Amino acid sequence: MNPTEERLAAIDQNFRAANYLGAAQLYLRHNALLRRPLAPTDIKARLLGHWGTQPGLNILYAHLSRLVQDTDADVLYVAGPGHGAPGLLASLYLEGTLGAYYPDLGPDEAGLSRFVGEFSWPGGFPSHVTALTPGSIHEGGELGYSLAHSFGAVFDNPDLLVACVIGDGEAETGALAASWHTPKFLNPVTDGAVLPILHLNGYKISGPTVLGRIPPAELATLFQGLGYESREVAGDDPATVHRALWETLDWAYDRVRSIQSGARTGGDVSRPVWPVIVLRTPKGWTGPKIVDGKAVEGTFRSHQIPIEDPETNPDHLRLLEEWLRSYRPQELFDEHGAARPGVTSVYPAEEHRLGRNPRANGGRLLKPLPLPELGAFGIDVPDHGSLRTESTSVLGRYLAELFRASARERNFRMVCPDETSSNRLQAVFQATSRPFELPILPTDDFLAREGRVMEVLSEHLCEGWLEGYLLTGRHGLFACYEAFIAIIDSMMAQYAKWTKMAREIAWREPVASLNYLLTSHVWEQDHNGYSHQGPTFINLLLTRKPDMVRIYLPPDANCLLAITDECLRSRGQINLVVASKKPMPQWLSMADAVAHCQRGASIWEWASSSDGPPDVILAASGDVPTREALAAIWWLRRELPELRVRFVNVVDLLTLDSRHNQASGMDERAFAELFTEDTDVVFAFHGYPGVIHDLTYRRPNPERFHVRGYIEQGTTTTPFDMTVLNQMSRFHLAREAIVRSARVFSRGAEARRKLDRALVEHHDYIRKHGRDMPEILDWNWTTTAGTAARPAHSGALD
Ligand SMILES: Cc1ncc(C[n+]2csc(CCOP(=O)(O)OP(=O)(O)O)c2C)c(N)n1
Ligand SMILES: [Mg+2]
């Protein structure tokens, strides 16, 4: 639609009003509408917030509102520079959204004064966008994720258009740089669209931006190379920019719709060239031009608080008053403090306003997944441990069924950095594919235009896409190599902060949990070596709020199924599941696995002595530790039958937790039933031993826990040697069990010598033969040594 002078004028009024309120929030505790001359006592005690990015966010909010008014489009606004919160809040206040969520922020002088006075004030809105901000799924505190979140939001949301404002500094981050490639994985028929708007104000905190300083033609070429068509809106005269931005937004919107209709009804299968807008306007635009002799508008100096000391410096106070009055607030707000009709006429009907988009409160839209019956996918376990299989292959069949069952609703996706097959989850490809818009060759596997397994070799993108998908009301799973998930630790931490805050907000409904499946784990890196060993994510999760995190270490395939089912049912949590992808002994029937997983930790009676109180408890958490601990018990039964051992398996790690008065852990009685109050516990753990000490330090006699786990020893060697190098092998565990058992310690001297010899034999054997000893490879709980079949080789490892 062509711009009219009247509507352009209204947009400008709106822009001025948002700029005014944005600046006022930074400074004014009182006198929000400048009804009287500005006084030092009006100024906030501490000036906390950012100005520079606000005008760009504000002008875009006004113009996008106009676009929605004209098109009824379903638009979600994502502000990459979340430090521009006062700008976004100003628009949300003006459009009436804040008042709808927070009734004391209504459109009158009292509401406006409270709104302005309480920003960045204890108890008020924080300085960044947060879960408290209606209409938002993106904090933008830690920069880099706006575009990935936006694309995540539009997957399987064909009607949605996300307008994503990207800071030109933010665009320097690795995560953002990778995100530009997402259209290569985006299907124009089944997915919605993202309109990236590069907010090219030229500066970051204290320096120029790369994209701001390269010549405009080079920038256009960059976007062309990334597969986009870009148009630039540039200028520092608002009237000129309004007209150009209006027309450019119309151009971009028409491009999006014509790509979509071409693909959806015109049968166009060519690869779309999506539009990008570059908004090249000064940082701190319309703000103070010069302060203390230094240029501020259009420079990095406008980034945060452009006039620093209005409370005690009269010149600064005067400059601030001039700046605020330059927006002519009396023209923008009436005598009751309400925004005048010109200001608010840019907004569409209430339900279409940017701040009201229901996708931003995804929990309200969430539908439970049609989860497959566990019984149909659990494996038959004839006895304890003689069957060996890849647990993740079993899970792959379950997930394939989930993809089939959710095909109509399209509300489940997997993300993975190129490892679905390597992680033995390839059964999912019988139900869906990996979407890919680039040429697909006959030699490629499992690629198609459309699919719900998102594979890209960027953990950042996987995480960002999934977060956007979850926050807009869908479900998902992130499958990753264990060592490399730590790449996105910081993103997970930010997501956890968002979730923690969202939980405290009555109007935000919980979204589906963020689920991680980590495989190719630390104990199966004999082929890759040290660089691929890193169980750190467990430690990182332990720093999050204990009531929103679960850490699961299923010992076998049926437990993996039971745990995955539980994770996919849960809401508002971060769930970590660590499971091997290699052939491993299978211990529990499906029914036993469900019962064990429900308890979280239990005594495995069949592996425990029944003739009196235990001399020592062997505990394990993790599939390889479980195998080693059971092999240790098996060895002890043969060599030292009088030693009474109890075996405890811990599948839900935080059942051990005693750090927070059992906020997430089992109670003292349940703990004592498993571990007694004073018996020594030799604990074989998947990750760093300190984790178990951290969790149990308030349990009775915590010094009786002797933990073996990963101690940063690794190289390319045999699988069993990994456990030996880290002193968690069956031989080490058996030896420690004898040492910790006062009753049989002295009678165990010969057994201990045998264990020492076994370690020497192992050392010599692997150096001579390049593989583990037959008694290790053939070991089987249910038979005597040497009689079980060797496991089939699992094929190529990655
Ligand atoms: C990942 C990350 N690194 C550093 C920062 C600190 N920081 C806050 S704002 C900012 C500059 C952002 O520049 P830009 O994206 O261009 O935003 P704008 O100019 O619109 O303020 C930086 C470096 C951050 N928030 N996140
Ligand atoms: Mg910038």
Side-chain angles (χ1 to χ4, degrees):
M1 188 173 284
N2 286 333
T4 63
E5 291 306 325
E6 194 189 343
R7 294 182 76 197
L8 284 170
I11 287 180
D12 191 58
Q13 280 184 49
N14 182 281
F15 177 49
R16 275 161 47 210
N19 286 344
Y20 176 78
L21 288 180
Q25 284 171 83
L26 301 181
Y27 287 100
L28 303 186
R29 178 70 180 148
H30 308 293
N31 197 12
L33 279 169
L34 291 184
R35 298 282 194 215
R36 49 180 171 72
L38 195 58
T41 48
D42 294 332
I43 306 296
K44 289 183 179 177
R46 296 160 69 239
L47 304 179
L48 312 169
H50 299 74
W51 163 248
T53 195
Q54 289 191 45
L57 297 184
N58 294 344
I59 199 168
L60 287 166
Y61 204 100
H63 279 264
L64 286 163
S65 297
R66 189 284 303 172
L67 182 75
V68 176
Q69 211 174 39
D70 288 350
T71 60
D72 274 350
D74 181 7
V75 177
L76 187 72
Y77 185 93
V78 167
H83 48 281
L88 196 59
L89 290 167
S91 291
L92 290 166
Y93 174 79
L94 290 170
E95 74 168 18
T97 298
L98 278 195
Y101 283 85
Y102 306 99
D104 57 353
L105 302 181
D108 51 31
E109 190 140 358
L112 186 143
S113 301
R114 186 169 291 117
F115 168 62
V116 167
E118 294 194 350
F119 171 79
S120 265
W121 191 264
F125 281 109
S127 67
H128 285 63
V129 175
T130 65
L132 285 164
T133 316
S136 182
I137 59 164
H138 177 79
E139 156 127 11
E142 182 169 291
L143 298 169
Y145 316 134
S146 60
L147 197 50
H149 282 164
S150 301
F151 279 113
V154 303
F155 290 143
D156 299 322
N157 254 338
D159 298 332
L160 183 64
L161 174 66
V162 176
C164 176
V165 187
I166 301 154
D168 50 353
E170 181 188 14
E172 293 174 15
T173 63
L176 201 293
S179 302
W180 294 114
H181 287 299
T182 311
K184 287 135 190 161
F185 307 88
L186 179 120
N187 183 291
V189 179
T190 53
D191 298 326
V194 173
L195 173 59
I197 304 171
L198 179 65
H199 183 13
L200 200 95
N201 59 20
Y203 293 91
K204 307 183 286 255
I205 295 178
S206 64
T209 61
V210 171
L211 298 186
R213 288 281 165 98
I214 60 174
E218 193 175 326
L219 184 60
T221 312
L222 174 68
F223 281 121
Q224 194 188 357
L226 288 164
Y228 296 87
E229 181 179 349
S230 63
R231 283 207 186 172
E232 196 163 306
V233 175
D236 58 6
D237 166 41
T240 316
V241 174
H242 286 317
R243 191 172 284 277
L245 186 53
W246 181 309
E247 285 163 1
T248 307
L249 268 179
D250 277 358
W251 161 78
Y253 183 76
D254 291 347
R255 285 302 306 258
V256 166
R257 290 300 181 230
S258 91
I259 289 168
Q260 290 178 332
S261 65
R264 291 173 191 186
T265 55
D268 184 357
V269 291
S270 61
R271 181 176 149 214
V273 177
W274 295 96
V276 164
I277 294 178
V278 176
L279 179 67
R280 192 186 290 268
T281 50
K283 188 151 183 167
W285 191 20
T286 75
K289 298 212 173 340
I290 294 183
V291 179
D292 297 336
K294 294 211 167 97
V296 174
E297 188 194 32
T299 78
F300 66 87
R301 290 193 185 84
S302 66
H303 178 69
Q304 219 154 338
I305 298 291
I307 301 170
E308 282 178 354
D309 192 16
E311 196 180 352
T312 61
N313 179 331
D315 270 354
H316 282 196
L317 188 70
R318 183 182 50 75
L319 270 179
L320 174 61
E321 181 157 8
E322 274 173 28
W323 171 25
L324 292 172
R325 288 199 189 279
S326 74
Y327 297 113
R328 305 191 299 280
Q330 70 285 357
E331 286 178 18
L332 306 171
F333 301 94
D334 67 18
E335 62 279 17
H336 307 294
R340 293 186 193 275
V343 172
T344 53
S345 66
V346 303
Y347 297 122
E350 226 170 85
E351 67 280 9
H352 288 165
R353 292 186 184 168
L354 297 177
R356 306 284 174 94
N357 196 308
R359 325 258 191 198
N361 191 1
R364 283 231 175 119
L365 309 175
L366 189 65
K367 294 188 184 145
L369 283 174
L371 293 173
E373 274 295 317
L374 287 179
F377 292 91
I379 50 170
D380 283 337
V381 176
D383 51 33
H384 302 296
S386 64
L387 173 73
R388 294 189 199 187
T389 197
E390 297 159 346
S391 299
T392 47
S393 297
V394 176
L395 180 67
R397 295 195 283 276
Y398 168 94
L399 291 173
E401 180 54 27
L402 177 55
F403 274 113
R404 276 185 214 105
S406 60
R408 185 176 305 177
E409 201 65 54
R410 292 188 69 90
N411 60 348
F412 176 71
R413 288 210 182 203
M414 249 177 77
V415 295
C416 185
D418 182 39
E419 299 149 3
T420 307
S421 296
S422 161
N423 288 338
R424 305 286 179 262
L425 295 165
Q426 68 275 26
V428 295
F429 296 132
Q430 288 161 19
T432 187
S433 293
R434 299 178 290 178
F436 202 52
E437 288 287 309
L438 300 176
I440 298 174
L441 306 180
T443 44
D444 290 329
D445 266 350
F446 313 126
L447 290 180
R449 282 296 161 88
E450 192 271 325
R452 285 181 289 142
V453 176
M454 310 298 298
E455 281 210 349
V456 60
L457 210 176
S458 162
E459 283 74 10
H460 288 114
L461 264 191
C462 290
E463 174 76 17
W465 288 346
L466 181 56
E467 289 179 2
Y469 197 69
L470 297 177
L471 288 169
T472 47
R474 286 77 60 74
H475 306 257
L477 177 67
F478 186 166
C480 192
Y481 279 16
E482 185 185 44
F484 305 131
I485 193 69
I487 291 171
I488 57 81
D489 162 44
S490 195
M491 290 181 81
M492 177 276 288
Q494 296 297 328
Y495 185 82
K497 288 170 196 287
W498 177 281
T499 307
K500 184 246 175 204
M501 213 156 175
R503 280 181 167 201
E504 294 161 6
I505 299 168
W507 53 266
R508 285 221 182 246
E509 298 283 333
V511 298
S513 296
L514 173 55
N515 299 311
Y516 298 98
L517 170 66
L518 303 188
T519 181
S520 290
H521 64 49
V522 53
W523 300 107
E524 46 195 15
Q525 295 302 338
D526 43 285
H527 58 307
N528 283 318
Y530 196 27
S531 64
H532 284 54
Q533 292 184 286
T536 346
F537 208 58
I538 293 174
N539 301 60
L540 298 170
L541 269 182
L542 288 179
T543 61
R544 304 291 109 216
K545 282 270 179 195
D547 60 345
M548 62 190 290
V549 168
R550 292 320 285 182
I551 299 170
Y552 297 107
L553 296 134
D556 68 2
N558 285 337
C559 288
L560 176 60
L561 284 183
I563 290 297
T564 305
D565 177 83
E566 197 169 315
C567 293
L568 293 172
R569 283 176 204 281
S570 70
R571 300 285 179 263
Q573 283 179 197
I574 299 179
N575 296 315
L576 172 63
V577 184
V578 188
S580 162
K581 67 178 188 183
K582 287 194 178 170
M584 292 285 287
Q586 300 298 314
W587 307 108
L588 302 183
S589 68
M590 194 66 241
D592 287 349
V594 168
H596 177 49
C597 293
Q598 270 167 3
R599 282 195 294 269
S602 48
I603 300 171
W604 287 8
E605 302 288 354
W606 51 267
S608 303
S609 313
S610 52
D611 52 350
D615 297 309
V616 64
I617 296 168
L618 257 171
S621 191
D623 41 32
V624 169
T626 298
R627 184 195 66 203
E628 289 308 303
L630 288 171
I633 293 175
W634 177 94
W635 191 94
L636 288 166
R637 278 186 180 183
R638 195 182 63 181
E639 302 292 334
L640 198 59
E642 68 263 47
L643 183 71
R644 295 195 296 265
V645 183
R646 171 184 289 178
F647 178 69
V648 176
N649 189 269
V650 180
V651 58
D652 178 349
L653 186 66
L654 288 174
T655 55
L656 299 178
D657 196 359
S658 64
R659 295 170 303 164
H660 309 271
N661 296 320
Q662 285 94 54
S664 62
M666 63 181 109
D667 63 32
E668 283 304 346
R669 210 172 49 101
F671 191 84
E673 274 169 20
L674 298 184
F675 294 106
T676 74
E677 299 216 333
D678 46 15
T679 310
D680 278 33
V681 180
V682 177
F683 203 121
F685 180 51
H686 174 87
Y688 294 100
V691 167
I692 301 297
H693 292 301
D694 265 8
L695 292 174
T696 54
Y697 85 97
R698 283 188 176 173
R699 298 292 184 184
N701 300 310
E703 67 286 353
R704 70 196 160 107
F705 282 79
H706 313 286
V707 188
R708 301 289 176 133
Y710 179 62
I711 50 171
E712 284 290 339
Q713 289 294 336
T715 179
T716 302
T717 181
T718 70
F720 181 66
D721 198 41
M722 282 288 181
T723 65
V724 172
L725 290 176
N726 288 284
Q727 301 172 16
M728 197 200 67
S729 75
R730 56 198 68 182
F731 301 134
H732 288 91
L733 297 173
R735 197 178 193 292
E736 178 97 46
I738 299 168
V739 169
R740 299 296 170 185
S741 156
R743 196 176 62 87
V744 294
F745 176 74
S746 51
R747 272 170 288 156
E750 177 50 27
R752 280 185 279 131
R753 273 192 292 279
K754 276 192 184 172
L755 288 164
D756 293 341
R757 278 201 300 275
L759 284 169
V760 173
E761 279 166 27
H762 156 80
H763 176 272
D764 296 345
Y765 186 94
I766 63 168
R767 273 159 186 72
K768 186 162 176 205
H769 300 281
R771 63 165 170 263
D772 286 319
M773 299 187 291
E775 66 177 278
I776 300 297
L777 291 173
D778 298 346
W779 175 77
N780 185 331
W781 172 264
T782 48
T783 55
T784 47
T787 59
R790 286 273 293 277
H793 182 59
S794 67
L797 295 169
D798 316 285

